[in-house]
Amino acid sequence: MPNARFPIAVVALEAAPRTKPSNHPEPFFSRMAGREKRPLGDLFGLANFGVNITRLVPGGCSALRHAHSKQDEFVYILAGHPILITDDGETQLAPGICAGFKAGNGNGHHLVNRADEDVLYLEVGDRSAGDAVSYPDDDLQAVLDQDGKWRFLDKNGASY
Amino acid sequence: MPNARFPIAVVALEAAPRTKPSNHPEPFFSRMAGREKRPLGDLFGLANFGVNITRLVPGGCSALRHAHSKQDEFVYILAGHPILITDDGETQLAPGICAGFKAGNGNGHHLVNRADEDVLYLEVGDRSAGDAVSYPDDDLQAVLDQDGKWRFLDKNGASY
């Protein structure tokens, strides 16, 4: 039965950008200024995972380098040449290359755009309950509250 | 800590194709002959959702038209011009267009390639327990066993 609540299909880059560039407290928030996420899965009412098409301008990064305890993540590069940084070092990516980040292994990852052209990629992450995020390079940790909101603490457990 | 079991990043089209084109019984199996899936998420050990890069040759289709009871699905067209068929009719897709298929609404969907060039798309689906699949156009239903294997029945519940 047709469902008028959701579109049938969407041109991804015409989807509305997320209005808030990051949920992080300062001084971390400002480091996300070069990133623009357009949620795609939400447009269709998907609940079990999220999909965004995300643009990184030159100098931008996908996130603070981080690892999830429960959430698997996946990225597929559509345009541009980001560098993937993990505990294994730096890996040059290019259009058509994908990477997956398995929950629970503690290997922090993020993409940085050191080139002079935009990077565009698809990112997928599931919505597992009880997720938590560790940040190997920053005095930060995050835990997912039961109401689905992220709570940010320093490494000693004090709230930001 | 580096994890040697999994690659850091992969050129998606260099990933190995799934060896078996479909789990369906005949006469449905043969209808999947024009489809080639390369599992991507599995390469990185992702467990909560699957991602494939899938090619449809001219005349190929993504699946029998179907709807999941529990699994959300998402597709992003990378190349070619498939037609998305749902209960709402036919929608012409093109590179850069995405669509999401919310679990549980019963709206059967599939992509068909009626053009003379290949279609290439990314598909994402979560791995919710207790999933079942309905096929509005075929005398078929499928249920996910507790061991993670699909069991195919006709609409009266008899096994194929």
Side-chain angles (χ1 to χ4, degrees), chain B residues 108-122:
Chain B
H109 58 270
H110 69 163
L111 302 177
V112 298
N113 185 6
R114 294 189 193 141
D116 55 9
E117 58 180 353
D118 286 3
V119 165
L120 204 61
Y121 62 97
L122 289 174

Side-chain angles (χ1 to χ4, degrees), chain B residues 23-48:
Chain B
N23 294 316
H24 291 79
E26 290 290 8
F28 309 109
F29 180 92
S30 299
R31 287 161 59 186
M32 303 301 119
R35 175 183 86 179
E36 186 178 58
K37 288 177 184 264
R38 297 171 191 272
L40 300 177
D42 292 354
L43 300 178
F44 303 98
L46 305 191
N48 298 339

Side-chain angles (χ1 to χ4, degrees), chain B residues 25-110:
Chain B
E26 290 290 8
F28 309 109
F29 180 92
S30 299
R31 287 161 59 186
M32 303 301 119
R35 175 183 86 179
E36 186 178 58
K37 288 177 184 264
R38 297 171 191 272
L40 300 177
D42 292 354
L43 300 178
F44 303 98
L46 305 191
N48 298 339
F49 57 86
V51 185
N52 301 319
I53 190 167
T54 301
R55 182 184 299 277
L56 305 182
V57 301
C61 68
S62 65
L64 303 176
R65 196 161 80 87
H66 71 285
H68 286 270
S69 67
K70 300 283 188 187
Q71 178 190 141
D72 285 339
E73 291 183 283
F74 179 90
V75 296
Y76 179 94
I77 308 304
L78 295 166
H81 293 81
I83 293 165
L84 168 60
I85 304 179
T86 69
D87 290 349
D88 304 287
E90 300 196 354
T91 302
Q92 178 71 63
L93 304 184
I97 294 183
C98 62
F101 311 111
K102 184 174 169 55
N105 67 8
N107 190 342
H109 58 270
H110 69 163

